[in-house]
Amino acid sequence: MKINPPQARQREGMVKTVLLTVVMAVITIIMFSKGKIPQNTKELIALILTILFANTLFFLMVHTGKTDRYRAVYFSTFAVMLIISFISHMFGARGSMSLSEAKVLQCEVPFCHLVIPMTLVPMALTKTIIFPGSLIGGYASIASMFVLWIGATLALGRGFCSWGCFYGGLDDGFSRVLKRPVIKKINPKWIYLPFAVLLFVVLTAAAYLSPTYCTWFCPFKAVTEFEAVTSTKILIQTIIFVSLFIGLVIVLPILTKRRTQCAFLCPFGAMQSLTNKINVFDVRIDKEKCVKCKRCIQVCPTLSMSEESLEDGRARITCMKCGKCIDSCPKGAISYHIKGTDVAGNNNAYRLLFLFAAFLFISIFSAHIIQDGIVRVLKLITTGSMIL
Amino acid sequence: MPKIRSILGYMWAGAAVIVVFATFLGSGFFSRTLVAASGVKISPLYTGGEVVRSVDHGSYRALIHRPVFDALIGERKEGFIQVNWEPLAGLPPVIEESIDYTGDGKADFSVRIDTKTGKTMLTHINPQVTSIEESVKLDDGWVVRVQLKKD
């Protein structure tokens, strides 16, 4: 079936776009700079580039009405910059990416949001966190990640997976490498696998009082930190990390054009699907406008659109609010929506409110990391070393 | 009724923007409040548990932690006891320490650590003491974990 290009996109006029971008620019300048102009030239360049980058993308999102295209650029840049910043930070602090026994025993391991689901049951029953990190202070403290998670859940729900997660941009980026998927048919039942992984890691973490997903399954260990290989057990763990990273974050996203790690493995994403109920934003389909061309089903990176979704008028609970289906709908039948309001109501207002919350979240959260990444790249160019 | 729901929806959406600001601007405050209000700590499986005794050796001291058998509910059959020696600068070439973790006045095990090579020897006295779990040089000292089992 031939499908016409999208016609009814929620674009805004130039005056409104400029006004909204000015508001965003003022906020980002204040938030990114923390009210101080850096004295160091590299830091100043990084600050200016980050502000320009963020506001150009925001302008384009508002003016063109396309959300996912520009979000993906931001999201993938965030992920790449995190790796640059994190790895060079680790080399600066420890001399390598590997995690020594000493750092574990000193409880100096950076915490990340993926650990949160595994900590909840032990925290409720023993009042302890089963992770060798720092509660407050230091690099990526446990309490700060919990605050971030609570804020993200309230503001974005599962939208965090497309607007906040500093790993998600990797498979999102790789899923855009090819124009067409090589593997086209994926059984939609795979979307339930993360819920099984979530249940498994929550139960095993509670039983062993150990963050089992981090110890055995996290693909992102391959690009952040992992234990120094000193035993067969650690060698097996390292092989699993690298295999999952290559398979689920690079190869399968390229071949399927789906975010396979996020859609078929991540237990944190599964938890966010469950907590998403308390979030006000969702993605809805106007059944009056929908012509059932199924383009949304074809493009959804997480298989969150199905024929049942089109019948129900809403995306599945695994929807990450990336906006790809909205961008691709030829009839403008899919839109961001505010719970309690009319689906066929003021879609532009719904989208702008979501965009403001989501864009602010990713821009503020990523600002320091992107700036640090730029500074380290500039340092690499000028001195041959990324270590500050 | 639909109008009230719609107004509440818009208010909730507006609040989401405020939540984003609060999350980042108030991160330090909320983090401290969260820790204080919940009373959570890092699991003793990682920290080694509370220090129950300190033995002063002049240039360095030994910090003896409580035996850790913590489980999700109750206690495990296997656990460990951690001993730290600090500061690193004051440590002798060889540390020799007899540990009485039961507090009965009799040593339960003794350890000998060559701080140059890291070679660590354990002498069992109490049958609950099984083996060395870890012997690691830290940024400011040395730590040994000795595996224990319950009767």
Side-chain angles (χ1 to χ4, degrees), chain B residues 3-24:
Chain B
K3 197 162 186 181
I4 294 169
R5 280 218 314 255
S6 177
I7 290 167
L8 287 172
Y10 275 111
M11 284 170 67
W12 192 1
V17 179
I18 295 165
V19 166
V20 175
F21 281 115
T23 300
F24 292 103

Side-chain angles (χ1 to χ4, degrees), chain A residues 130 208-210, chain B residues 42-49 68 70 76 80 145:
Chain A
I130 52 162
Y208 294 101
L209 293 183
S210 164
Chain B
I42 302 294
S43 167
L45 295 169
Y46 297 102
T47 61
V68 175
D70 298 41
R76 301 167 184 221
F80 67 86
R145 278 191 180 184

Side-chain angles (χ1 to χ4, degrees), chain A residues 123-286:
Chain A
M123 188 162 65
L125 294 179
T126 69
K127 282 199 146 195
T128 63
I129 300 280
I130 52 162
F131 191 83
S134 153
L135 270 180
I136 300 174
Y139 190 84
S141 74
I142 294 167
S144 69
M145 291 308 289
F146 265 87
V147 168
L148 189 88
W149 167 57
I150 294 165
T153 304
L154 290 171
L156 307 174
R158 180 128 200 213
F160 175 81
C161 302
S162 282
W163 295 88
C165 176
F166 40 69
Y167 298 129
L170 291 175
D171 62 352
D172 197 349
F174 283 115
S175 72
R176 289 161 200 270
V177 171
L178 294 183
K179 235 179 172 180
R180 291 180 203 291
V182 176
I183 299 169
K184 289 177 184 149
K185 286 221 162 184
I186 303 174
N187 189 331
K189 285 183 181 156
W190 281 107
I191 66 164
Y192 298 110
L193 184 60
F195 296 95
V197 175
L198 174 66
L199 185 65
F200 176 76
V201 297
V202 165
L203 292 177
T204 52
Y208 294 101
L209 293 183
S210 164
T212 41
Y213 184 76
C214 314
T215 315
W216 289 99
F217 307 114
C218 180
F220 300 107
K221 289 273 184 189
V223 286
T224 51
E225 59 176 356
F226 46 81
E227 268 192 87
V229 180
T230 53
S231 67
T232 312
K233 181 187 159 196
I234 299 173
L235 178 67
I236 293 168
Q237 289 168 338
T238 309
I239 291 169
I240 294 171
F241 298 148
V242 174
S243 306
L244 285 174
F245 184 78
I246 293 171
L248 287 176
V249 183
I250 301 176
V251 177
L252 280 174
I254 292 173
L255 296 179
T256 61
K257 286 188 74 63
R258 314 277 181 181
R259 289 175 57 182
T260 48
Q261 193 284 143
C262 308
F264 308 138
L265 180 71
C266 184
F268 182 83
M271 186 179 71
Q272 284 306 90
S273 288
L274 303 176
T275 58
N276 187 58
K277 282 278 174 202
I278 60 166
N279 179 249
V280 71
F281 300 108
D282 57 7
V283 170
R284 295 289 288 268
I285 305 147
D286 187 341

Side-chain angles (χ1 to χ4, degrees), chain A residues 94-131:
Chain A
R94 301 175 184 164
S96 80
M97 270 171 77
S98 70
L99 192 58
S100 66
E101 280 179 287
K103 293 295 168 195
V104 175
L105 289 165
Q106 287 171 167
C107 292
E108 290 177 2
V109 182
F111 188 78
C112 95
H113 55 281
L114 301 187
V115 196
I116 290 174
M118 288 168 281
T119 61
L120 298 177
V121 174
M123 188 162 65
L125 294 179
T126 69
K127 282 199 146 195
T128 63
I129 300 280
I130 52 162
F131 191 83

